[in-house]
Amino acid sequence: MTGESEGFRIAFVNLKTHTPCYFAGFNFTLEHVGIGYLTAVLRHHGYEVAIIDAATRDLSDEEVANELLDFSPTMVGFSPTVATMESAIRISNLLKKADRGLHICLGGHHATFLAEQILREEPCFDSVVRGEGEITIVDLADRLRRGAPLRDTLGLYLKNMDSSISKNPSRHKIEDLDAIPFPARDALQWQIREGKSPTVRVISSRGCVADCSFCSIPPFERLQKGQLWRARSAENVLDELKALREKFGIRTVLFAEDNFIGPGDIGRERVKRIAEGMISRGLGLNFRILCTAESLIKSEELLPLLKKAGLERVIVGIESASPSALRAFNKKSTVEQHYLVANILPQHDIILQLGFMMFYPYSSADDLRRNAEFLNNINQACFFQHFSNRMELYPGVAIFKRLDYEDMILSKAEYKKAFLYRYAEPNIGRLARSLSPVRRKTVNLDRYLLDMDIWVNQHKGKASNRNLVETYTGLRDKFSSKNMEFFLRSVGLTESEWDPEAFEELKTEHSNAIEKLRETLRAIVDGSGLKIWDIGTP
């Protein structure tokens, strides 16, 4: 195969977004594991593949295009989101200007659900791999290399010579995830070589059995035949972790799948075996996971083991403390269960991080107050992102149909920017939009506070750190108090005619207070001699 593919080169681009990855924390790797898997599979089949990681290396669109042209690929792949689609278009237009014969392919959730529209409206794109991509991308490469017809390629939407679109059926999902090679780690190699953070993302399972109405995972998983949740074996995951530890000196892992624990006894047994293996192999890793409230509660007995294995943070999709919002989101958990999760994790010295949406199209002032009270009660009000997060509307999601039926969607066919919706109560929408600048200004501070929480959790038992821990805890409470005061007073403005000047006064007062607290925290940490990241500079 190597000889046959000589001169046939493939490149993937990890596009750069200007939106920070809030849940990953400071200095966390930005590598794209999905691209890593596609690269590994193609290399396994003898292809020469390059990854141009604009996110990790902070490359401009022009720099990406120049590197691609220097590499002279026959096929280029992007996995754009709504935040990076414009970059994909700009880079692709530069490539096509230099080489009209270059085949440019898209993949991922965003392109999957909007494939036909994107192919019709953007001349620079030739095809879209819909759904899981490993088998389709090899088939596509093989056909391009041989000059074979692409029209009947399963899993592919294709722009034909006459500009018509071939919409081929989906493939079945890959049943045995252990059969897929470990993802290529080109970006991680660069990251370690440059002295960057020794962190990594690992995907140990795919899919989710939940059916949340706002999430693109359910419709994406139902696009292809196969199980809604599939998992790699514990042994396979442990082998990858061992290789990452030995080759790159990795210290922190984010299990980046949607529900690490998974459903039922099978999921819990797999997690148990992974934790036991991390301990018995002496991997010495810290790790973070995402999961649902229900799966966490049912796995409470595993938390001591997981903590011993290195679990430091759990990101739980709680989303709301409003029963009506939970029903609209089709969440299976209750507010009572959310409080239970918030109580369980601290008992095991594990940090809770929320997936939380303060605003959605049907939010009321009472919903907002109930959410704020919940955040304060569970000691999460110091993070301003929770007060400003809005439901993002993705193509294909279930709640889209309800909003469309009720004429709540303002832009129905937009692939270059987020879908817009109106609010049932217009003043709630005004507040949501007005909080966006505050969110942008505080996002780095919130990321810093999350990492400080982990540091405190790891060092609070040491007598030498007692003063710093107590001082930080007090400052954290003050951040919470200022956020609560600002938010609740702002909610009050929604219950009469919206007064933008009054809001601006509240915003300025809040900004000044937060900046003073930020400076105090910076001085305390600097004075301690600790080498913790910059204090959330906006």
Side-chain angles (χ1 to χ4, degrees):
M1 176 65 187
T2 303
E4 296 178 14
S5 64
E6 187 174 348
F8 189 99
R9 294 175 171 177
I10 301 168
F12 292 107
V13 179
N14 182 21
L15 296 160
K16 180 173 65 175
T17 176
H18 298 288
T19 305
C21 184
Y22 168 61
F23 70 80
F26 259 106
N27 288 346
F28 213 89
T29 178
L30 297 172
E31 68 172 339
H32 194 298
V33 183
I35 287 175
Y37 271 115
L38 298 180
T39 299
V41 169
L42 285 164
R43 286 175 178 168
H44 180 73
H45 283 79
Y47 286 99
E48 182 180 358
V49 188
I51 298 175
I52 311 298
D53 200 311
T56 299
R57 295 168 53 202
D58 194 24
L59 301 176
S60 69
D61 293 345
E62 291 73 20
E63 288 172 323
V64 170
N66 288 335
E67 288 201 18
L68 287 168
L69 292 172
D70 288 343
F71 182 65
S72 298
T74 307
M75 181 174 76
V76 172
F78 299 90
S79 184
T81 65
V82 66
T84 58
M85 179 59 81
E86 292 276 16
S87 285
I89 294 169
R90 280 194 296 270
I91 295 168
S92 297
N93 281 328
L94 290 171
L95 297 177
K96 286 288 189 177
K97 186 176 180 180
D99 182 1
R100 298 296 300 175
L102 179 64
H103 187 97
I104 300 180
C105 177
L106 303 183
H109 288 217
H110 192 65
T112 288
F113 291 118
L114 297 173
E116 186 172 2
Q117 181 192 0
I118 292 170
L119 290 175
R120 288 196 188 282
E121 298 189 19
E122 297 298 337
C124 58
F125 299 135
D126 299 295
S127 65
V128 173
V129 172
R130 300 180 75 241
E132 194 170 58
E134 284 88 352
I135 297 177
T136 303
I137 202 70
V138 173
D139 190 4
L140 175 60
D142 286 348
R143 289 170 183 250
L144 286 170
R145 176 180 54 80
R146 299 194 313 267
L150 305 179
R151 185 181 290 272
D152 61 346
T153 308
L154 292 178
L156 192 76
Y157 273 28
L158 173 72
K159 184 186 300 175
N160 298 306
M161 294 295 292
D162 61 1
S163 295
S164 63
I165 308 297
S166 292
K167 298 182 285 187
N168 294 305
S170 299
R171 295 180 185 271
H172 285 213
K173 296 176 186 175
I174 300 170
E175 292 185 6
D176 182 10
L177 296 184
D178 285 4
I180 306 174
F182 294 156
R185 298 290 183 177
D186 299 35
L188 182 59
Q189 288 179 340
W190 182 91
Q191 177 181 312
I192 299 301
R193 187 170 63 246
E194 295 295 314
K196 307 292 184 181
S197 173
T199 58
V200 72
R201 297 169 193 258
V202 169
I203 296 177
S204 76
S205 65
R206 297 185 181 185
C208 182
V209 298
D211 195 15
C212 299
S213 66
F214 57 85
C215 182
S216 65
I217 300 296
F220 189 84
E221 286 298 320
R222 287 162 175 79
L223 182 72
Q224 299 171 269
K225 291 183 179 180
Q227 296 293 320
L228 294 179
W229 183 80
R230 294 160 295 149
R232 296 163 56 191
S233 68
E235 291 72 19
N236 185 260
V237 175
L238 290 165
D239 286 346
E240 183 183 12
L241 294 176
K242 182 173 184 288
L244 290 168
R245 187 75 175 96
E246 292 177 349
K247 184 174 182 180
F248 299 108
I250 292 301
R251 294 201 302 266
T252 303
V253 174
L254 170 65
F255 286 100
E257 64 255 41
D258 304 284
N259 190 1
F260 174 73
I261 296 175
D265 293 338
I266 293 176
R268 289 189 289 274
E269 178 60 27
R270 187 187 78 108
V271 166
K272 179 182 177 184
R273 290 173 63 190
I274 290 173
E276 289 173 340
M278 292 177 75
I279 296 169
S280 65
R281 296 191 186 199
L283 296 182
L285 294 169
N286 294 318
F287 65 99
R288 307 163 186 183
I289 65 171
L290 291 82
C291 67
T292 64
E294 312 96 284
S295 62
L296 183 66
I297 291 169
K298 292 177 181 177
S299 305
E300 182 180 0
E301 73 280 0
L302 293 177
L303 290 179
L305 176 66
L306 288 165
K307 175 66 178 180
K308 183 178 180 181
L311 179 60
E312 62 181 17
R313 183 189 299 183
V314 179
I315 304 148
V316 185
I318 282 175
E319 314 308 349
S320 180
S322 163
S324 60
L326 294 176
R327 288 192 295 272
F329 296 156
N330 198 33
K331 295 290 291 183
K332 306 305 181 186
S333 55
T334 65
V335 177
E336 291 72 25
Q337 287 177 310
H338 297 168
Y339 273 110
L340 181 58
V341 165
N343 288 327
I344 287 173
L345 290 175
Q347 293 173 13
H348 299 278
D349 282 335
I350 299 170
I351 299 296
L352 167 65
Q353 186 174 344
L354 299 184
F356 201 79
M357 290 186 287
M358 179 62 75
F359 294 93
Y360 81 115
Y362 303 98
S363 293
S364 67
D366 286 342
D367 288 334
L368 302 185
R369 291 192 182 95
R370 189 177 290 112
N371 282 338
E373 180 183 7
F374 172 77
L375 293 173
N376 199 44
N377 288 344
I378 66 169
N379 203 24
Q380 293 283 310
C382 63
F383 305 112
F384 190 79
Q385 309 309 300
H386 297 328
F387 292 94
S388 58
N389 283 340
R390 291 184 273 173
M391 185 190 80
E392 295 183 2
L393 188 59
Y394 299 105
V397 300
I399 201 171
F400 193 102
K401 296 178 181 178
R402 175 184 173 183
L403 295 173
D404 191 18
Y405 178 78
E406 297 180 6
D407 198 27
M408 301 280 280
I409 300 176
L410 300 176
S411 61
K412 296 181 182 179
E414 181 54 73
Y415 58 90
K416 295 181 184 178
K417 39 189 166 175
F419 285 80
L420 302 178
Y421 54 82
R422 65 181 179 86
Y423 287 80
E425 298 185 22
N427 276 355
I428 299 295
R430 293 185 179 98
L431 174 59
R433 291 186 292 272
S434 297
L435 291 174
S436 291
V438 186
R439 171 188 172 84
R440 288 192 293 270
K441 191 173 181 179
T442 57
V443 63
N444 281 343
L445 173 62
D446 280 9
R447 294 164 72 202
Y448 179 84
L449 291 173
L450 278 168
D451 286 341
M452 273 296 298
D453 279 357
I454 289 181
W455 186 90
V456 166
N457 204 45
Q458 293 171 340
H459 297 85
K460 62 186 178 184
K462 298 180 181 179
S464 58
N465 297 319
R466 186 172 302 143
N467 288 339
L468 177 59
V469 170
E470 290 178 355
T471 303
Y472 169 70
T473 302
L475 280 173
R476 195 179 186 279
D477 290 342
K478 291 179 181 179
F479 279 115
S480 297
S481 176
K482 293 301 179 182
N483 286 341
M484 285 289 291
E485 179 185 3
F486 168 53
F487 183 76
L488 292 176
R489 290 172 68 186
S490 298
V491 171
L493 295 178
T494 68
E495 296 178 301
S496 57
E497 185 175 353
W498 179 255
D499 186 344
E501 292 184 2
F503 176 80
E504 286 300 316
E505 290 179 5
L506 292 177
K507 187 174 76 171
T508 299
E509 181 181 332
H510 174 260
S511 178
N512 291 338
I514 293 299
E515 184 57 34
K516 289 180 181 179
L517 291 173
R518 190 200 319 256
E519 290 299 326
T520 301
L521 182 56
R522 179 183 286 114
I524 291 169
V525 173
D526 288 348
S528 71
L530 294 175
K531 300 299 182 182
I532 305 178
W533 301 281
D534 190 26
I535 311 290
T537 302

